[in-house]
Each structure stands twice: as C-alpha cells, then as structure tokens.
C-alpha cells in the first residue's frame, strides 16, 4: 500500500497562488489514481481533483476548473495541486489520496495540509 504525506499549505491572501505537494512511498505508486480532496470547517470532505496513473487524464470539481491544476511525477512519486486565484471559500484542509483504478474507493490518505485564504 502507498503512504502519503502532504505539504505546502499555509496562509495566503485572496488572489494568491499556492502549490500543494504530496509525497508517496511504496513501489507501486505509478499504479494508483491520485486525488486531492478538501474539508472546510464544519463541512464534509469534498473532491477537488484527480489524475490518472500516467497523468493523461485529469478531473476537477466545478469550483476548481480553470484555477487548479493537478499533476504528478511518477519518477519522484509526487503529486501536486497548483492553486491559482485563491478565494476565501478555498480555505480547508487538503488531503491527498490514492486508489487503484478498478476501485471507486480511495484506500490511502495523507494527514492533510491546511490552506487558509484570508485578507
């Protein structure tokens, strides 16, 4: 199974950019679909973006389209979430997650990294 560790969160102002990173360990990283989720205070965790094993296919929630970009580097076992034009409503704990392609359930999760967008 893959282990995941997020980093890159912090306090930024509206309109700023931030890049989150997710470091994975395990020999089979390239076999996993990778996703980013977030959980805002008082709300349920929600899907943000996902990327296929080779990186060819990407998926975004509507609020992330045009502002966020998910990418991966299989050689480095890294997944990234580039977030631009951040809004206060993007404030949340962001989680990296992994699933095998044949399953709809994400089986591995990181501990999360907090992103706060505030002026």
């Amino acid at each position: 199974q893959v282990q995941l560790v997020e980093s890159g969160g912090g306090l930024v102002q509206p309109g700023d950019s931030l890049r989150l990173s997710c470091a994975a360990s395990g020999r089979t990283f390239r076999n996993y679909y990778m996703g980013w989720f977030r959980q805002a205070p008082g709300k349920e965790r929600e899907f943000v973006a996902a990327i296929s094993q080779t990186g060819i296919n990407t998926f975004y929630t509507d609020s992330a389209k045009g502002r966020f970009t998910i990418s991966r580097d299989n050689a480095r076992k890294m997944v990234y979430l580039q977030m631009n034009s951040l809004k206060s409503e993007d404030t949340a704990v962001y989680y990296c997650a992994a699933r095998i392609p044949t399953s709809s359930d994400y089986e591995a999760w990181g501990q999360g990294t907090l992103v706060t967008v505030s002026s």
Side-chain angles (χ1 to χ4, degrees), residues 6-10 12 16-22 36 67-73 76 78-86 94 113-115:
E6 304 94 334
S7 62
V12 296
D16 284 353
S17 297
L18 201 61
R19 189 177 82 156
L20 305 183
S21 299
C22 174
W36 284 98
R67 298 190 300 128
F68 294 4
T69 302
I70 187 171
S71 61
R72 67 189 293 164
D73 184 336
R76 291 186 169 86
M78 297 290 295
V79 181
Y80 305 100
L81 185 67
Q82 177 67 43
M83 304 186 293
N84 299 328
S85 302
L86 283 162
Y94 284 71
T113 186
L114 176 62
V115 173

Side-chain angles (χ1 to χ4, degrees), residues 23-87:
S25 60
R27 294 181 296 174
T28 59
F29 170 74
R30 62 179 66 248
N31 295 338
Y32 287 89
Y33 265 72
M34 300 299 299
W36 284 98
F37 292 75
R38 67 185 181 187
Q39 187 167 20
K43 295 186 177 181
E44 294 186 353
R45 186 167 57 192
E46 64 175 359
F47 169 80
V48 177
I51 189 167
S52 61
Q53 298 138 293
T54 61
I56 291 177
N57 296 311
T58 57
F59 311 89
Y60 298 93
T61 190
D62 286 346
S63 62
K65 289 178 182 176
R67 298 190 300 128
F68 294 4
T69 302
I70 187 171
S71 61
R72 67 189 293 164
D73 184 336
N74 285 343
R76 291 186 169 86
K77 299 181 182 179
M78 297 290 295
V79 181
Y80 305 100
L81 185 67
Q82 177 67 43
M83 304 186 293
N84 299 328
S85 302
L86 283 162
K87 306 175 182 179

